[in-house]
Amino acid sequence: MMQLASRQTGYRLALAALLGLAFAMPAQADSDKAMELAEEHNADWNRHFNHGDAGPLAELYAEDALVSPANGEVIRGREAIHELFKSYIDGGLHNHRLTVVRADGSGDWFYEVAEWRATGAPERGVMPLYKGIVTIIFRRQDNGDWLIQSHTWNQEPDSAT
């Protein structure tokens, strides 16, 4: 009798472990897919920014997207986002790079946290370096495209000196 109870307990533990794996696998798959999507979008974002293409860059954002740059403001809508990034490009910011730290999501949403860095126009013979952390939230549109819904970043206080 004792052996039967022990065997049933073993089966229950094995079943629980299998169920745990079954539910963990989709979460890992979602995380892997989010990482892949984030890296693809970052490559597009960097390419447009570094080529000075503020128009196509703004098209990566939803019409009602929000951007909060390191100054604490909130920029609303694709047109205003276009103007913000155009001002950065025109101001000499270039060599922008995003490196994903974490990405995850589920369904029609995913997010990424990444390190960003860029260089500015030379000042007194010195090329300023800007860097910080960015959080970007993406939403899948009805047509299947992933657009940025929210984008916020900080900047290291002394990164431009």
Side-chain angles (χ1 to χ4, degrees), residues 17-37:
L18 285 173
L19 286 173
L21 283 174
F23 286 108
M25 294 301 277
Q28 182 63 42
D30 285 347
S31 180
D32 291 345
K33 182 63 175 174
M35 182 68 84
E36 181 183 314
L37 286 168

Side-chain angles (χ1 to χ4, degrees), residues 109-112 135-139 147-151:
W109 295 87
F110 82 90
Y111 74 91
E112 76 167 294
T135 301
I136 305 173
I137 300 172
F138 296 84
R139 186 170 142 224
L147 295 180
I148 298 169
Q149 195 67 46
S150 177
H151 181 173

Side-chain angles (χ1 to χ4, degrees), residues 13-146:
L13 288 173
L15 179 60
L18 285 173
L19 286 173
L21 283 174
F23 286 108
M25 294 301 277
Q28 182 63 42
D30 285 347
S31 180
D32 291 345
K33 182 63 175 174
M35 182 68 84
E36 181 183 314
L37 286 168
E39 288 174 351
E40 288 173 15
H41 280 271
N42 290 348
D44 287 342
W45 202 100
N46 289 329
R47 185 180 70 253
H48 292 310
F49 188 91
N50 292 329
H51 285 122
D53 299 331
L57 181 62
E59 293 295 319
L60 299 176
Y61 292 80
E63 280 292 339
D64 62 344
L66 299 176
V67 169
S68 182
N71 65 6
E73 290 182 34
V74 175
I75 310 300
R76 299 173 192 274
R78 190 180 285 159
E79 187 175 322
I81 292 167
H82 172 269
E83 291 305 314
L84 174 70
F85 290 124
K86 184 175 180 341
S87 73
Y88 291 159
I89 291 166
D90 291 349
L93 204 61
H94 58 284
N95 295 327
H96 191 278
R97 184 174 71 218
L98 290 162
T99 304
V100 180
V101 173
R102 173 181 283 171
D104 206 348
S106 180
D108 291 336
W109 295 87
F110 82 90
Y111 74 91
E112 76 167 294
V113 175
E115 296 172 344
W116 72 270
R117 62 184 328 140
T119 51
E123 298 172 5
R124 290 175 260 130
V126 175
M127 182 86 63
L129 173 67
Y130 301 94
K131 59 185 177 176
I133 300 295
V134 60
T135 301
I136 305 173
I137 300 172
F138 296 84
R139 186 170 142 224
R140 185 176 15 224
Q141 307 300 297
D142 291 339
N143 66 2
D145 290 346
W146 290 95

